[in-house]
Amino acid sequence: MSVLDDADDRFDEAPAASIRLAHRFAALRAERRGGLVVYLTATDPDPETSLALLKGLPRAGVDVIELGMPFSDPMADGPVIQSASSRALKAGGSLAQTLAMVRAFRAEDDATPLVLMGYYNPIYSHGPERFATDAAAAGVDGCIVVDLPPEEADELAGHLKSRHIDFIFLATPTTDCARLPIVLEKASGFIYYVSIAGITGTASATQQAIAQAALRLRHQTSLPIAVGFGLNTPEQVAAVAGVADAAVVGSAVVRRLAAGLDAQGQARPGLVEDVLSFVHTLAAACRPASREETRP
Amino acid sequence: MRNTYRDGPDERGHFGLYGGRYVAETLMPLILDVERSYDQAKADPAFATEMAGYLRHYVGRPSPLYCAARLTARLGGGRIYLKREDLNHTGAHKINNCIGQILLARRMGRKRIIAETGAGQHGVATATVCALFDMQCVIYMGATDIERQAPNVFRMKLLGAEVRPVTSGAATLKDAMNDALRDWVANVDTTYYLIGTAAGPHPYPAMVRDFQAVIGHETREQILELEGRLPHTLVACIGGGSNAIGLFHPFLDDPGIRLIGVEAAGHGLETGRHAASMIGGRPGVLHGNRTYLLQNADGQILEAHSISAGLDYPGVGPEHSWLKDVGRVEYVPVTDDEAVAAFRLLTRLEGIIPALESAHAIAHILKLAPTLPKDHIIVVNLSGRGDKDVNTVAMALNGEGGLS
């Protein structure tokens, strides 16, 4: 029985949300652990390697996949993900290519939630409604659009909602009490808490600051809370997974990927296995109760 | 028929389809703070008085409106006036905006200023006001531009600014703006982003326009004094479009005044190597606003090309995008070669070396003026001086055998 059949009855009252995401976060709560969200840029470093990585993430213990849509001007990203984006574009990455990867992934995995992360212009260029239709058909569960704050989100939000795709918004250390309700009003799926004021792959927040922020968010929303930016090690992941519903790791995984490239930027043999084994150590950190169990 | 073209943007920063605030959540509270602070400053007569004082005594305003008699005689048509923004302190219109924004940053209690620059004119103007107001100054500039605008880089450093080379993308203005935004996100508590053109997230397009509108307001008074009537045609070059919107805005509601914005056509529109985002692009979202952009079918932003570093940007201010769609302003292309020819002609005829940016506007005048009657009055915004460009022009001319 597929996850969709299983979940249909339980989530009937909330049809405008991704069933896979709701199901996964419910399962994590039942297991009393925080989950692991891993970010990769689609088509980085090439379509085949990228798809092999994507397909390997669930086996490595990833709970939610965040797939980056490459963009020429990733303004909120640090050097690591900027490079990933330009490698992806050089290798033929595009919105259509990203959705094709999602389709290929979904052919084998109907359970793992997958959210797209990117910037608005490729979506706007594709057409917001057409994007929502194509993303839903490919099996996308949620969207994070970095440069589309709630104030500008209406032209995409309705299309996503009617196709059961969650619209995931960012909350940051600068999102004050007056502003948080504006963000939460439009948000579904989960809240992505950006733990530092900064770009990806640079500074890290203290565990205390993260715990306080998670607590503040919990008072305002019943949505699951994922925390990202600046998480690099299994220890950091374990600490965040203890106070939030999920920990997001992006640049550290992409850095590992980049270390497996040769001077021409081509994937060396063993890259996929190496990245996935790193991801596995992160995933194990989210499972303190079952650390002795070996996952396939 | 609308009553006015001058009431934009709406309260959320939209000029029709264009403008808005497309920024990461981390920046939203800051941008709202800039808007609130600017609204308060606008309502405070002391702010206007202080700004006017600096414009007069430090920048040297009003800038002259000069009748270019020899150029007029050579072209044999309409009477050409040059609005001499090149005579401002630091050599371009950029300083008008910098004075306004540095006063705002000071009101907001910010001590660290960041800015992006292409040709280096805005970088120099920003470094200048930071020296004047004793603020820390970091300028993001594409590595390519650093190379072709070396004198301005040195000026910025002399003024005490740190110039950070940007190597991502094509290492030009677009990439410098990306890095400035990244800096701002990481330094939200201390830093003010002093954007150099009438683009970016609201309130920047409206605020920069308001600070540059001094150009149009002066022109209006000066031409009435000189000619006893308003001009028939206004012409200005468009990169981000701040000098153009500054000249045009006070005239938008005068029916019958023809407004022409000149975009950089680089090697020619047909080659794809140009910076004419309105003529050769389509609407998209970048750097905080929706506007015309050069982009591919997938919505990836393309590199612009222009011999003029200040026009070498794949977007344009959102108010221009709107003015294009509603048909109030015409936008025309001028190539690198045409701009260089105009640069040389103005220098020889009037003894004025224009910035390559402004030379694009002059180049359009060379085509337009001969078709107009002698009593037709044209005002061109001579937005900057060309000392910074002499090496670039020398290189362009060497390719054709040098000065003859």
Side-chain angles (χ1 to χ4, degrees):
Chain A
M1 191 162 84
S2 89
V3 167
L4 291 175
D5 297 332
D6 181 39
D8 262 349
D9 301 327
R10 296 174 52 195
F11 293 96
D12 245 11
E13 70 279 7
S18 152
I19 286 164
R20 288 188 202 93
L21 271 172
H23 190 269
R24 180 57 50 98
F25 278 108
L28 287 168
R29 280 187 178 173
E31 290 174 42
R32 297 182 168 278
R33 69 172 179 95
L36 175 67
V37 183
V38 160
Y39 169 91
L40 287 172
T41 302
T43 326
D44 172 31
D46 61 72
E48 294 72 30
T49 310
S50 187
L51 185 60
L53 285 165
L54 186 62
K55 286 180 172 177
L57 291 176
R59 267 186 295 115
V62 169
D63 297 295
V64 176
I65 295 170
E66 186 187 347
L67 188 62
M69 300 181 274
F71 183 50
S72 53
D73 295 80
M75 283 153 284
D77 285 301
V80 173
I81 292 176
Q82 287 175 44
S83 300
S85 218
S86 41
R87 281 194 300 268
L89 290 172
K90 234 177 248 171
S94 66
L95 185 51
Q97 171 72 24
T98 303
L99 294 176
M101 275 182 64
V102 177
R103 275 195 302 276
F105 173 79
R106 275 280 168 258
E108 295 179 9
D109 185 319
D110 194 32
T112 308
L114 186 151
V115 304
L116 294 179
M117 181 274 197
Y119 295 81
Y120 189 46
N121 199 54
I123 295 172
Y124 179 62
S125 172
H126 197 79
E129 182 168 15
R130 193 177 141 222
F131 168 76
T133 304
D134 293 352
V140 168
D141 298 294
C143 281
I144 304 167
V145 189
V146 181
D147 56 352
L148 202 58
E151 286 85 346
E152 302 288 354
D154 284 349
E155 70 183 28
L156 179 60
H159 299 306
L160 293 181
K161 192 169 185 179
S162 66
R163 287 158 186 84
H164 300 202
I165 296 175
D166 281 316
F167 206 160
I168 295 145
F169 283 92
L170 307 177
T172 73
T174 62
T175 311
D176 57 21
C177 298
R179 190 165 164 75
L180 190 56
I182 298 170
V183 174
L184 293 173
E185 192 199 327
K186 306 255 168 146
S188 66
F190 62 91
I191 289 290
Y192 187 139
Y193 181 68
V194 174
S195 62
I196 54 154
I199 52 178
T200 54
T202 53
S204 302
T206 64
Q207 290 306 328
Q208 194 193 2
I210 290 174
Q212 280 172 357
L215 196 63
R216 180 167 73 101
L217 287 170
R218 291 242 190 262
H219 285 305
Q220 305 272 334
T221 181
S222 56
L223 287 173
I225 298 159
V227 176
F229 280 46
L231 305 184
N232 297 304
T233 65
E235 292 70 31
Q236 287 172 319
V237 167
V240 168
V243 295
D245 297 283
V248 188
V249 184
S251 295
V253 174
V254 174
R255 210 176 278 128
R256 191 77 175 221
L257 182 161
L261 301 173
D262 66 20
Q264 283 72 48
Q266 306 294 312
R268 285 197 296 246
L271 180 150
V272 172
E273 294 70 21
D274 181 59
V275 171
L276 292 178
S277 91
F278 175 61
V279 170
H280 181 72
T281 64
L282 300 172
C286 298
R287 295 172 170 81
S290 57
R291 208 166 253 164
E292 62 278 11
E293 276 178 42
T294 47
R295 294 179 61 86
Chain B
M1 193 62 193
R2 65 177 60 244
N3 295 322
T4 177
Y5 292 95
R6 303 181 66 213
D7 60 351
D10 67 18
E11 72 282 356
R12 284 166 58 212
H14 294 99
F15 300 92
L17 177 67
Y18 304 102
R21 273 190 278 243
Y22 295 86
V23 296
E25 174 61 25
T26 315
L27 287 181
M28 273 305 287
L30 271 95
I31 298 220
L32 294 168
D33 191 30
V34 172
E35 183 191 12
R36 262 190 309 275
S37 303
Y38 178 55
D39 284 345
Q40 287 164 6
K42 253 195 311 195
D44 180 356
F47 183 83
T49 304
E50 189 171 21
M51 178 152 177
Y54 280 103
L55 289 179
R56 179 160 177 212
H57 301 293
Y58 187 73
V59 175
R61 302 205 71 91
S63 68
L65 187 66
Y66 164 73
C67 183
R70 290 195 70 209
L71 182 66
T72 299
R74 169 68 70 94
L75 298 178
R79 188 151 58 246
I80 301 160
Y81 283 87
L82 304 179
K83 180 61 173 165
R84 297 292 307 275
E85 292 298 300
D86 61 315
L87 293 177
N88 293 338
H89 179 46
T90 72
H93 70 290
K94 293 291 187 185
I95 191 81
N96 304 328
N97 168 47
C98 286
I99 293 285
Q101 287 198 55
I102 201 84
L103 290 172
L104 182 67
R106 195 185 60 178
R107 277 175 81 101
M108 294 174 71
R110 299 297 163 120
K111 291 280 181 214
R112 181 175 179 270
I113 304 294
I114 58 170
E116 82 295 337
T117 196
Q121 293 302 97
H122 175 57
V124 167
T126 303
T128 298
V129 296
C130 286
L132 179 64
F133 287 88
D134 191 23
M135 299 224 197
Q136 189 190 344
C137 181
V138 174
I139 303 292
Y140 288 90
M141 186 169 186
T144 305
D145 290 336
I146 286 182
E147 210 167 293
R148 59 178 165 173
Q149 304 288 341
N152 272 344
V153 175
F154 188 63
R155 289 166 80 192
M156 286 184 265
K157 289 180 177 170
L158 278 175
L159 289 159
E162 179 193 343
V163 180
R164 292 195 185 161
V166 176
T167 52
S168 56
T172 59
L173 182 55
K174 163 179 89 92
D175 312 289
M177 200 151 180
N178 288 336
D179 267 15
L181 284 164
R182 290 178 185 124
D183 180 311
W184 205 19
V185 170
N187 295 286
V188 288
D189 294 331
T190 58
T191 297
Y192 180 88
Y193 183 12
L194 207 164
I195 295 181
T197 192
H202 179 64
Y204 284 96
M207 175 167 68
V208 175
R209 173 201 70 200
D210 294 347
F211 291 149
Q212 292 293 1
V214 66
I215 302 171
H217 289 303
E218 284 177 9
T219 298
R220 213 178 160 89
E221 277 181 31
Q222 290 165 321
I223 201 73
L224 284 172
E225 193 182 315
L226 290 163
E227 291 278 352
R229 56 155 302 149
L230 293 177
H232 299 87
T233 301
L234 303 176
V235 181
C237 67
I238 309 263
S242 70
N243 90 80
I245 201 70
L247 176 64
F248 294 166
H249 197 261
F251 294 95
L252 285 177
D253 286 343
D254 293 291
I257 296 189
R258 192 175 171 197
L259 307 174
I260 304 174
V262 182
E263 289 200 291
H267 291 192
L269 293 175
E270 69 289 350
T271 66
R273 288 179 54 73
H274 60 80
S277 47
M278 283 184 288
I279 301 165
R282 65 177 204 281
V285 173
L286 181 73
H287 292 155
N289 56 180
R290 175 156 32 203
T291 194
Y292 276 86
L293 296 173
L294 301 179
Q295 53 185 317
N296 72 11
D298 188 42
Q300 307 296 335
I301 309 305
L302 299 174
E303 301 298 345
H305 171 82
S306 169
I307 191 171
S308 147
L311 304 182
D312 206 349
Y313 180 70
V316 64
E319 194 164 9
H320 285 294
S321 293
W322 177 72
L323 289 167
K324 173 193 160 70
D325 282 9
V326 298
R328 178 62 187 97
V329 179
E330 298 163 55
Y331 296 91
V332 299
V334 156
T335 64
D336 287 355
D337 289 348
E338 291 171 325
V340 169
F343 177 99
R344 295 181 70 184
L345 188 70
L346 189 72
T347 303
R348 292 299 291 270
L349 286 180
E350 298 288 351
I352 296 170
I353 303 178
L356 272 173
E357 291 78 14
S358 323
H360 283 73
I362 302 293
H364 186 67
I365 292 296
L366 304 187
K367 303 180 206 174
L368 181 69
T371 68
L372 298 171
K374 287 188 164 33
D375 61 353
H376 188 107
I377 301 165
I378 309 166
V379 174
V380 192
N381 200 358
L382 197 72
S383 54
R385 71 177 182 225
D387 309 49
K388 70 188 175 59
D389 292 315
V390 293
N391 286 338
T392 304
V393 172
M395 272 161 50
L397 295 181
N398 279 339
E400 306 168 4
L403 284 175
S404 48

